[in-house]
Amino acid sequence: MFKQKTTDSISSNSEEQQKIKISLDQNIKYINETLGNSDDLVSRIISVGQENRMEIGIFYIEGLVDTQHINDFILDPLMVRLENIDQQNDLPTVIQKSIVSVAKVQDAHHLDTALSSLFSGQVIILFDGFTKGFTVGLSGGKSRNVTEPSQESVIRGPKEGFTETIRTNTALIRRKINSPNLWVESMNIGTVTETKISLMYINGIVNKKVLKEVKTRLDKIEIDGILESNYIEELIQDKTFSPFPTINNTERPDVVSASLLEGRVAILVDGTPFVLVVPSLFIEFFHAAEDHYQRWDFSTFIRTLRIMSFFITLLAPSLFIAITTFHQEMIPTPLLISLAAQREGVPFPAFIEALMMEITFEILREGGIRMPKSVGQSISIVGTLVIGTAAVEAGFISAAMVIVVSITAIASFTIPAYNMSISIRMIRFIFMGLAASFGLFGITIAFIGLILHLCSLRSFGVPYMSPFGPFNVQDQKDSLFRFPLWGFKTRPRLISQQNRKRMESRYPKPPFDK
């Protein structure tokens, strides 16, 4: 279905497309008019043959191709080896098979199809007196090199990240999975941009139902342009109005490779270093890339800290508001006296205090992100310290509230997934409002509603809260805790429903253990 759509769309429109004319001048005129005589269009006309010299037109977009390769593999062979040619009856075939020494050469019978390949970094070669030409794949130009990911840094593990070039990204994944079963399917989405989208999955491991659903949703997209993978994410996600992400994104090839080995599908979009992975579960947004590059006990300890940070980020301000406003009897007497002394002279209730501090910190956080990197972090830290100290000294905010908001902010940074962190920060304000209105009862109701909402979500047919709901004992090996690698005998049950076996029950004992 996925590949067939592209082929069918081309064949159905073939009659409406402009065919290559026998006159090279007419073809040149059509190309120039279609592109509006763009300055970045380079056209070179050369003449070959002895007596009946024939003109050959070479067209490419400057900046999208490697000009040195054009000189070496197209211009030099054509101008040197065809200088004394006499046979011109089937010159395009002779050039395609014997002259142009490039691997990717495809026939072209329609100018519109040829122009589409022109924008993907290919070269068009047309002939005067022939109604066919061909395209040569010499894509190149300037692109960003493979560097360390800026958003998902690790202490131990690979230091390479995706780039904005889709074929570089697929190559990075193939370097890690050297298997012929790693399949790639591509299509173009966007009536104007015609952005290339590629699906990567491991045949024999992938969940076929998930793969079919991904293809179906992509086929239904009708939009003028795709500029980043978030366009695809919003258009194919299960729940539109849920704050929780049901599609994971990453800029690390090792994370995508690990997901493919579990039976997931990767969606790569040309022009962005962020790759989408489906299906994605709630607990996976708290897993970091290096969890499998450290010892299992270290990774389990760090994961426990992340889960604790999740509850601190979500509940700390609301619990402080509820207890200090409605349930003072739960506070030890010395601490209650200290809090009362701090709040003496503060004109605002606890909810307004927390709201002002939380909004101020979110503004500082966003400002630090948008500022230049050399000063952004310094301004965020200094601004927070100065504003917090000044607010306490001025009597607007109590010192205890500053401590609670600071701990909450620090805890939010431990969540590896940025989109999940934003979701929790948004929901935190709802918990604060209910805590100020109903105390612990409001927090309890909000927490129950949150659990019900999470349990209602699905990611491409897979329950969002699995392996907890529905509960699966075998899949607990890589959820809240990380079992030793010899315990990863099977793949997740709801993700991969075929070829679930990953390893033998246990590695044989080495000789020194006998």
Side-chain angles (χ1 to χ4, degrees):
M1 181 186 301
F2 193 67
K3 285 186 176 179
Q4 186 177 356
K5 179 188 176 183
T6 305
T7 305
D8 292 346
S9 61
I10 293 176
S11 60
S12 61
N13 296 329
S14 60
E15 297 180 356
E16 301 176 0
Q17 293 181 355
Q18 181 68 36
K19 294 184 178 181
I20 296 177
K21 300 181 182 300
I22 196 170
S23 173
L24 181 60
D25 292 335
Q26 293 182 2
N27 294 328
I28 294 175
K29 181 180 178 181
Y30 179 82
I31 293 175
N32 289 329
E33 290 179 351
T34 304
L35 271 65
N37 295 312
S38 300
D39 292 337
D40 59 348
L41 173 64
V42 179
S43 58
R44 174 70 188 276
I45 310 300
I46 62 176
S47 298
V48 298
Q50 290 181 344
E51 300 178 356
N52 300 323
R53 301 190 67 85
M54 185 183 65
E55 291 185 337
I56 300 177
I58 301 173
F59 309 89
Y60 62 90
I61 299 295
E62 187 176 7
L64 296 182
V65 300
D66 192 324
T67 55
Q68 185 60 42
H69 287 172
I70 293 178
N71 296 331
D72 295 339
F73 302 125
I74 296 181
L75 289 178
D76 286 348
L78 289 179
M79 300 179 70
V80 174
R81 298 180 59 182
L82 293 180
E83 182 63 26
N84 299 319
I85 190 171
D86 295 327
Q87 179 69 26
Q88 296 185 6
N89 294 331
D90 196 12
L91 186 60
T93 303
V94 174
I95 293 176
Q96 182 176 356
K97 294 184 177 180
S98 304
I99 305 299
V100 178
S101 56
V102 179
K104 187 177 182 180
V105 179
Q106 295 179 338
D107 291 330
H109 298 278
H110 297 84
L111 284 174
D112 294 333
T113 305
L115 288 177
S116 299
S117 63
L118 190 71
F119 302 127
S120 61
Q122 299 188 38
V123 180
I124 301 176
I125 300 180
L126 301 178
F127 306 89
D128 189 27
F130 293 89
T131 59
K132 74 171 183 177
F134 54 86
T135 60
V136 181
L138 289 176
S139 60
K142 300 295 182 181
S143 60
R144 186 169 63 91
N145 295 327
V146 177
T147 57
E148 183 178 358
S150 58
Q151 302 296 328
E152 300 176 75
S153 58
V154 296
I155 298 176
R156 179 178 179 179
K159 302 294 184 180
E160 58 185 7
F162 290 121
T163 68
E164 285 74 17
T165 306
I166 190 170
R167 281 299 162 250
T168 301
N169 297 338
T170 56
L172 289 173
I173 298 175
R174 284 199 178 276
R175 287 175 56 186
K176 296 185 177 298
I177 304 179
N178 302 318
S179 172
N181 292 323
L182 179 59
W183 290 5
V184 181
E185 298 185 28
S186 300
M187 72 179 300
N188 293 336
I189 298 181
T191 56
V192 178
T193 62
E194 293 189 0
T195 306
K196 178 173 288 187
I197 311 294
S198 293
L199 292 184
M200 294 193 74
Y201 57 91
I202 301 179
N203 184 46
I205 296 179
V206 67
N207 190 330
K208 293 184 178 180
K209 294 182 179 179
V210 172
L211 179 61
K212 181 180 179 181
E213 183 65 23
V214 172
K215 293 180 180 180
T216 301
R217 296 186 187 184
L218 289 175
D219 286 337
K220 293 180 179 179
I221 295 179
E222 296 292 341
I223 192 173
D224 59 347
I226 301 293
L227 302 180
E228 213 276 335
S229 58
N230 182 68
Y231 285 64
I232 300 294
E233 180 178 351
E234 288 195 31
L235 292 172
I236 67 173
Q237 63 184 354
D238 291 69
K239 290 286 186 177
T240 306
F241 298 104
S242 175
F244 292 97
T246 55
I247 299 177
N248 195 9
N249 65 82
T250 179
E251 52 182 341
R252 297 186 59 87
D254 56 329
V255 174
V256 175
S257 301
S259 300
L260 295 179
L261 290 172
E262 289 184 344
R264 291 179 168 85
V265 180
I267 305 174
L268 294 84
V269 180
D270 194 18
T272 176
F274 290 92
V275 175
L276 305 179
V277 178
V278 295
S280 298
L281 309 180
F282 175 77
I283 192 61
E284 293 172 357
F285 291 93
F286 299 92
H287 296 174
E290 61 180 336
D291 284 353
H292 292 272
Y293 305 147
Q294 302 284 356
R295 283 181 44 176
W296 66 273
D297 46 356
F298 296 164
S299 299
T300 299
F301 174 71
I302 299 300
R303 281 190 183 180
T304 304
L305 290 180
R306 294 195 199 111
I307 299 300
M308 293 175 57
S309 299
F310 160 71
F311 286 106
I312 292 174
T313 304
L314 183 65
L315 300 175
S318 56
L319 286 175
F320 183 83
I321 294 171
I323 292 176
T324 56
T325 304
F326 295 98
H327 311 284
Q328 295 90 347
E329 68 279 0
M330 299 179 63
I331 306 175
T333 302
L335 179 58
L336 180 60
I337 296 174
S338 176
L339 293 176
Q342 294 178 25
R343 291 191 50 80
E344 185 178 1
V346 176
F348 305 109
F351 173 68
I352 301 300
E353 281 187 86
L355 191 63
M356 289 192 301
M357 288 300 297
E358 290 288 353
I359 293 177
T360 301
F361 188 83
E362 293 296 334
I363 293 174
L364 288 172
R365 188 204 302 256
E366 187 65 18
I369 294 175
R370 305 307 166 193
M371 290 288 291
K373 291 184 178 180
S374 57
V375 296
Q377 187 175 4
S378 301
I379 290 178
S380 298
I381 297 174
V382 174
T384 303
L385 292 175
V386 171
I387 292 177
T389 304
V392 173
E393 293 180 355
F396 292 156
I397 305 295
S398 63
M401 181 62 71
V402 174
I403 295 175
V404 171
V405 173
S406 301
I407 294 176
T408 303
I410 295 173
S412 66
F413 286 115
T414 63
I415 300 175
Y418 181 71
N419 48 2
M420 178 61 72
S421 176
I422 294 179
S423 301
I424 298 172
R425 283 153 47 191
M426 291 170 52
I427 297 174
R428 180 177 58 198
F429 289 98
I430 299 177
F431 276 74
M432 290 167 53
L434 292 175
S437 302
F438 306 103
L440 291 179
F441 177 76
I443 296 177
T444 303
I445 296 300
F447 194 77
I448 293 175
L450 178 64
I451 295 298
L452 293 176
H453 174 70
L454 289 173
C455 292
S456 68
L457 297 179
R458 287 180 174 269
S459 179
F460 287 84
V462 179
Y464 192 53
M465 290 301 293
S466 59
F468 309 112
F471 186 79
N472 186 356
V473 177
Q474 293 183 350
D475 291 349
Q476 301 300 320
K477 58 182 176 294
D478 193 22
S479 55
L480 293 176
F481 312 103
R482 207 274 276 178
F483 283 22
L485 287 179
W486 48 261
F488 286 72
K489 304 174 185 178
T490 57
R491 296 181 174 87
R493 183 175 63 88
L494 294 180
I495 301 296
S496 177
Q497 298 180 353
Q498 57 177 339
N499 191 10
R500 295 191 59 236
K501 185 177 181 180
R502 302 193 66 172
M503 65 167 60
E504 299 295 334
S505 59
R506 185 75 183 264
Y507 287 113
K509 293 183 178 181
F512 49 80
D513 285 345
K514 293 182 180 180

